């Protein structure tokens, strides 16, 4: 059986960069699981690449069909944005290994859906000051910066990734992203250790 490598951490910890590197190198032939969201698409994003961008009517349809694995709703300064993982027929653990980016909450719900043996958590951490500066730099580069939303997300992460919640989730290892190349190398070694061949 294949594995789902679940990459998570607070915002601006480098998850996206690590994720893109692992997929571009493709050493482990991991397939990506693309989440769904109702938030507006950002400059530089492409539908079906970072997310599938959908509306609330589509969310209701997926829920009625029993296809939502996990769903999170966030009250932002721009309305309620929903993020979800969907059993949309693209995940086949009998044939492939996968990688996905998510939150601690979405990780736990995915474990409930697929079972602990199928999911390998990869949590990334960065100093809060570094995170805040990265988030600010990224937002400045947007056509319409949303600084209030950036601050809301930063503060929400402190609650969503409290140490007690990490302890409850039984995350066996946390990767500190002080130096990106070193962090990526450590994560790749960890994936190699936990990868099981598909028969």
């Amino acid at each position: 059986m294949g594995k789902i490598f679940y990459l998570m951490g607070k915002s601006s910890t480098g998850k996206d960069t690590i994720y893109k590197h692992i997929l571009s190198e493709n050493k482990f032939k991991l397939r990506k699981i693309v989440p769904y969201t109702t938030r507006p698409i950002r400059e530089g994003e492409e539908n079906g690449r970072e997310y599938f961008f959908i509306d609330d009517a589509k969310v209701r349809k997926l829920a009625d069909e029993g296809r939502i694995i996990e769903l999170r709703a966030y009250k932002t300064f721009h309305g309620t944005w929903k993020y979800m993982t969907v059993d949309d027929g693209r995940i086949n653990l009998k044939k492939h290994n996968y990688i996905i980016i998510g939150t601690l909450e979405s990780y736990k719900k995915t474990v409930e859906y697929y079972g602990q043996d199928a999911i390998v958590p990869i949590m990334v951490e960065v100093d809060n000051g570094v995170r805040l500066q990265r988030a600010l730099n990224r937002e400045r580069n947007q056509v319409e910066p949303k600084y209030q939303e950036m601050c809301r997300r930063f503060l929400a992460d402190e609650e969503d990734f409290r140490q007690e919640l990490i302890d409850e989730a039984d995350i066996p290892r946390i990767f500190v992203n002080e130096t990106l190349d070193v962090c990526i190398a450590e994560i790749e070694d960890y994936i190699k250790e936990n990868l099981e061949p598909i028969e």
Side-chain angles (χ1 to χ4, degrees):
M1 285 293 281
K3 300 280 189 184
I4 296 174
F5 292 90
Y6 214 99
L7 186 59
M8 62 191 134
K10 297 173 183 176
S11 57
S12 302
T13 53
K15 301 185 302 295
D16 289 325
T17 303
I18 293 166
Y19 174 79
K20 287 173 185 172
H21 177 87
I22 290 169
L23 283 172
S24 67
E25 291 286 302
N26 206 21
K27 294 177 185 175
F28 311 107
K29 295 184 170 59
L30 301 179
R31 294 190 169 203
K32 64 180 180 180
I33 298 173
V34 180
Y36 288 62
T37 185
T38 61
R39 79 151 166 78
I41 192 167
R42 291 176 182 156
E43 185 183 7
E45 291 181 328
E46 184 180 312
N47 189 42
R49 189 177 62 194
E50 291 84 7
Y51 292 96
F52 289 108
F53 296 91
I54 60 174
D55 58 19
D56 283 319
K58 179 67 171 176
V59 175
R60 286 191 295 273
K61 185 174 185 295
L62 290 169
D64 289 344
E65 292 169 354
R67 294 167 62 191
I68 295 179
I69 295 169
E70 58 83 26
L71 183 148
R72 292 149 281 132
Y74 300 103
K75 292 185 195 284
T76 77
F77 285 95
H78 307 281
T80 299
W81 292 349
K82 295 172 184 170
Y83 295 81
M84 67 218 77
T85 310
V86 176
D87 189 350
D88 57 6
R90 292 181 173 91
I91 304 169
N92 185 345
L93 291 175
K94 291 181 180 176
K95 292 187 175 181
H96 306 287
N97 293 292
Y98 296 86
I99 187 166
I100 187 172
I101 298 178
T103 66
L104 187 57
E105 178 187 353
S106 64
Y107 160 74
K108 290 194 254 186
K109 291 194 175 154
T110 305
V111 166
E112 288 173 16
Y113 191 86
Y114 286 106
Q116 183 68 70
D117 290 345
I119 316 296
V120 179
I122 300 172
M123 183 169 285
V124 181
E125 281 191 351
V126 169
D127 171 77
N128 276 342
V130 173
R131 277 202 316 117
L132 189 56
Q133 188 61 59
R134 285 181 184 173
L136 185 58
N137 291 343
R138 181 172 64 187
E139 208 57 44
R140 276 185 180 138
N141 289 327
Q142 296 296 313
V143 174
E144 293 181 23
K146 296 179 171 66
Y147 295 116
Q148 288 177 309
E149 174 55 20
M150 180 203 79
C151 293
R152 182 209 64 79
R153 193 178 336 125
F154 185 88
L155 294 172
D157 280 340
E158 292 303 299
E159 176 65 21
D160 294 343
F161 285 89
R162 294 193 323 270
Q163 189 59 50
E164 64 204 75
L165 296 178
I166 295 171
D167 294 342
E168 285 171 14
D170 197 24
I171 307 295
R173 184 168 174 191
I174 294 174
F175 297 86
V176 179
N177 186 12
E178 288 181 354
T179 306
L180 182 62
D181 291 346
V182 172
C183 185
I184 287 173
E186 290 175 349
I187 289 172
E188 287 183 335
D189 286 345
Y190 188 67
I191 290 172
K192 187 176 179 181
E193 288 167 17
N194 286 278
L195 201 63
E196 291 186 9
I198 304 292
E199 295 185 14

